[in-house]
Amino acid sequence: MSNRVVITGAGAITPIGNDPKTFWHNLLLGKSGAGEVTRFDVTDMPSKISGEVKNFDPAVSIDPKEARRLDLFAQFSIVASDQAIKNAGLTSDSINPKKTGVIIGSGIGGIITLLSNYEILLKRGIRKVSPFTIPMMIPDVASALVAIRYNLRGPNYCITSACASGAHAIGEAYRMVREGVADIMVAGGSEAPIHTLAYSAFCKAKALTTRNDDPTCASRPFDMDRDGFLIAEGAGILIIEKLENARSREAEILAEIIGYKANADAFHITAPHPDGLGAAESMFGAIESANINVEDVDYVNAHGTSTLAGDISELKAIKTVFGINKEKPIINSTKSMIGHMLGAAGATELIATIMTLKTGIIHASINLDNPIPECEGLNITTENITAHPRIAISNSFGFGGHNATIVLKKWEGS
């Protein structure tokens, strides 16, 4: 059995907006979510900036007493899921609990809870360690909490594949709906990694940008002056369901998922394949699974992290797939504004891709002032373009060589 699969709802918590509408509005404004780290002292750290979520209030969806027993990544997940479910118009009457599931990916789950309680253990002893530490820190708790909240008894788990986690969660949810395992899936990614140890570790790995005196210009994918990624936090959640189900309840359809591929570089634990071999195979595979031609792809939402090796590898992969073409596909990087949300990145960027298909506008990649040589022959936009793309792909690549590509089609009512 093979169903057509559509997206009917979206929820987003990001450094530039805590709902999809605000997120998209600020992308079109070219607004950066970067700023100085406010959570801890960064005096001795080489990087001092991040993409923190601003003005987040879990109380919009979560009882304050419950919120205190949840890690920040789980709070992000619940609020974004609530947005998505309401956006999709889902109610208890329109949900078959046994055929509705949840997959929320996260690269490192409740790391704030884990590390904070370890500090408590060292300083104050075991009696002060929270009894909620384990259920607060395990990455799968986000999927569990959403399922409990809405009585969703279908497939339920977490995918952890570093920065591809959110995209893999959506891709696997798509497969389940397409194959009839579920009618509806709540899927996406969530991450809250801005803790002193996690931040320090990324600094020691020399992965983060150190453009501390100019935060809003620090995330600069494909630019000669890039020097690492801007670590960020947040969540992106989608409602994925079979077309027949969406039509039966007269839901608004945001886009159709028509292809997906997951694979591995099998090359290095942190570095991408220098020629983008795995990334190219991921794109080729997703396009083939969508039963379209390479020439049909109008737009690529690139992984585009602003890292030295990653950007070069991805552009080489794009050229391998699409060749030298200065017209299409048009390419951009949402991370130029929101930074790198790690396990939440792929899901959040897919929301940007959906909005691109709905509005016809491809948002700019900001801070691309001096393109690297690999940009030559590609159409990477530095301004908003009204291009009315019909077919788009979104790339997500993670440490360990994990790759994911999702293909979306503009919904045109048939």
Side-chain angles (χ1 to χ4, degrees):
M1 180 179 181
S2 181
N3 298 298
R4 290 177 68 184
V5 182
V6 295
I7 298 167
T8 56
I13 306 296
T14 80
I16 59 170
N18 294 337
D19 60 79
K21 182 178 179 180
T22 305
F23 169 53
W24 179 245
H25 175 73
N26 285 328
L27 283 176
L28 295 184
L29 291 178
K31 183 177 180 180
S32 170
E36 294 183 4
V37 172
T38 66
R39 308 269 175 82
F40 46 85
D41 185 4
V42 292
T43 301
D44 296 328
M45 298 188 188
S47 181
K48 306 178 190 302
I49 57 178
S50 69
E52 294 180 1
V53 168
K54 291 86 173 169
N55 303 313
F56 175 69
D57 181 10
V60 299
S61 297
I62 310 169
D63 178 81
K65 183 178 179 180
E66 180 188 1
R68 289 194 294 271
R69 297 177 177 179
L70 300 176
D71 189 88
L72 186 58
F73 99 101
Q75 294 179 14
F76 289 157
S77 301
I78 292 172
V79 175
S81 295
D82 273 6
Q83 290 177 12
I85 287 169
K86 290 173 183 175
N87 181 228
L90 289 172
T91 65
S92 58
D93 293 334
S94 60
I95 294 174
N96 178 351
K98 294 180 182 179
K99 295 284 284 185
T100 305
V102 188
I103 307 176
I104 298 176
S106 183
I108 48 181
I111 193 167
I112 294 175
T113 294
L114 171 64
L115 297 176
S116 297
N117 275 274
Y118 183 57
E119 292 171 9
I120 290 170
L121 174 65
L122 294 181
K123 294 177 181 178
R124 303 172 65 188
I126 190 171
R127 294 184 63 184
K128 295 299 182 179
V129 171
S130 170
F132 301 104
T133 299
I134 298 302
M136 287 175 70
M137 60 163 274
I138 51 178
D140 62 297
V141 73
S143 294
L145 289 165
V146 172
I148 293 167
R149 188 178 184 86
Y150 287 99
N151 186 33
L152 309 179
R153 304 201 301 274
N156 188 288
Y157 55 92
C158 170
I159 290 178
T160 296
S161 50
C163 306
S165 300
H168 278 143
I170 291 167
E172 296 306 314
Y174 156 70
R175 281 181 174 169
M176 287 185 172
V177 174
R178 185 189 62 186
E179 295 168 6
V181 175
D183 292 341
I184 303 172
M185 293 294 295
V186 182
S190 184
E191 206 79 87
I194 303 176
H195 179 280
T196 181
L197 179 57
Y199 192 87
S200 299
F202 277 115
C203 282
K204 290 295 289 183
K206 298 183 178 179
L208 302 185
T209 174
T210 57
R211 190 183 281 260
N212 302 314
D213 57 345
D214 195 9
T216 61
C217 294
S219 184
R220 40 196 322 109
F222 313 127
D223 189 82
M224 287 289 290
D225 296 322
R226 72 198 187 286
D227 68 338
F229 69 81
L230 177 83
I231 193 169
E233 64 183 357
I237 302 291
L238 296 175
I239 304 302
I240 298 165
E241 62 182 302
K242 64 180 183 179
L243 175 59
E244 177 186 344
N245 200 77
R247 280 178 165 161
S248 70
R249 59 186 193 84
E250 299 182 343
E252 179 187 2
I253 295 171
L254 305 181
E256 182 175 5
I257 305 179
I258 60 172
Y260 165 62
K261 176 68 175 181
N263 72 346
D265 280 1
F267 174 73
H268 190 272
I269 198 64
T270 56
H273 191 283
D275 295 322
L277 179 63
E281 290 175 347
S282 181
M283 284 183 272
F284 274 131
I287 291 167
E288 181 181 5
S289 78
N291 198 29
I292 60 173
N293 298 315
V294 167
E295 294 77 18
D296 296 324
V297 177
D298 302 305
Y299 163 55
V300 175
N301 186 293
H303 186 56
T305 58
S306 189
T307 58
L308 297 180
D311 285 7
I312 291 173
S313 174
E314 184 173 12
L315 292 184
K316 286 182 177 179
I318 290 172
K319 286 183 177 179
T320 297
V321 176
F322 298 102
I324 303 297
N325 190 332
K326 293 189 177 182
E327 294 185 5
K328 60 178 278 190
I330 301 171
I331 303 161
N332 68 2
S333 172
T334 302
K335 289 186 184 72
S336 64
M337 284 175 263
I338 63 173
H340 197 345
M341 294 166 62
L342 307 184
T348 308
E349 289 156 22
L350 202 66
I351 293 173
T353 307
I354 292 165
M355 295 305 297
T356 295
L357 293 176
K358 277 185 62 65
T359 65
I361 303 171
I362 298 173
H363 74 72
S365 280
I366 67 170
N367 302 326
L368 182 50
D369 302 321
N370 187 16
I372 58 177
E374 287 77 11
C375 292
E376 180 62 32
L378 296 175
N379 188 354
I380 305 174
T381 184
T382 56
E383 59 184 22
N384 294 340
I385 298 176
T386 300
H388 301 291
R390 293 185 67 251
I391 305 289
I393 69 172
S394 180
N395 284 331
S396 295
F397 311 130
F399 277 7
H402 306 294
N403 304 313
T405 300
I406 296 173
V407 186
L408 296 184
K409 182 179 179 182
K410 177 182 175 66
W411 180 250
E412 297 172 318
S414 62

